[in-house]
Amino acid sequence: MYGLYDKEGILRFVDSDKDACIAYAELFELSSTNYCLMDLAMDLASDSKKRNGS
């Protein structure tokens, strides 16, 4: 799952498809310097391991 954050750090869009997130950014004319695309599934798994001491 991917999350698209604007330059202010606000989550704007979530989808399981990376290309859908990029299409959303293009739809609203966000340039790549104005957004950050993050793999949320990897971040959640990493956070879970940290909390569980793994």
Side-chain angles (χ1 to χ4, degrees), residues 1-3 14-16 38-48:
M1 181 172 298
Y2 295 91
V14 175
D15 197 286
S16 60
M38 297 184 68
D39 186 345
L40 298 178
M42 294 299 285
D43 289 343
L44 291 175
S46 176
D47 288 345
S48 177

Side-chain angles (χ1 to χ4, degrees), residues 21-37:
C21 288
I22 293 170
Y24 179 89
E26 290 173 354
L27 177 67
F28 289 97
E29 299 179 356
L30 297 173
S31 68
S32 61
T33 58
N34 290 326
Y35 70 84
C36 175
L37 186 62

Side-chain angles (χ1 to χ4, degrees), residues 2-22:
Y2 295 91
L4 180 83
Y5 292 84
D6 69 12
K7 68 180 181 178
E8 303 298 322
I10 297 171
L11 180 62
R12 294 293 180 183
F13 187 77
V14 175
D15 197 286
S16 60
D17 182 13
K18 180 180 178 181
D19 291 333
C21 288
I22 293 170

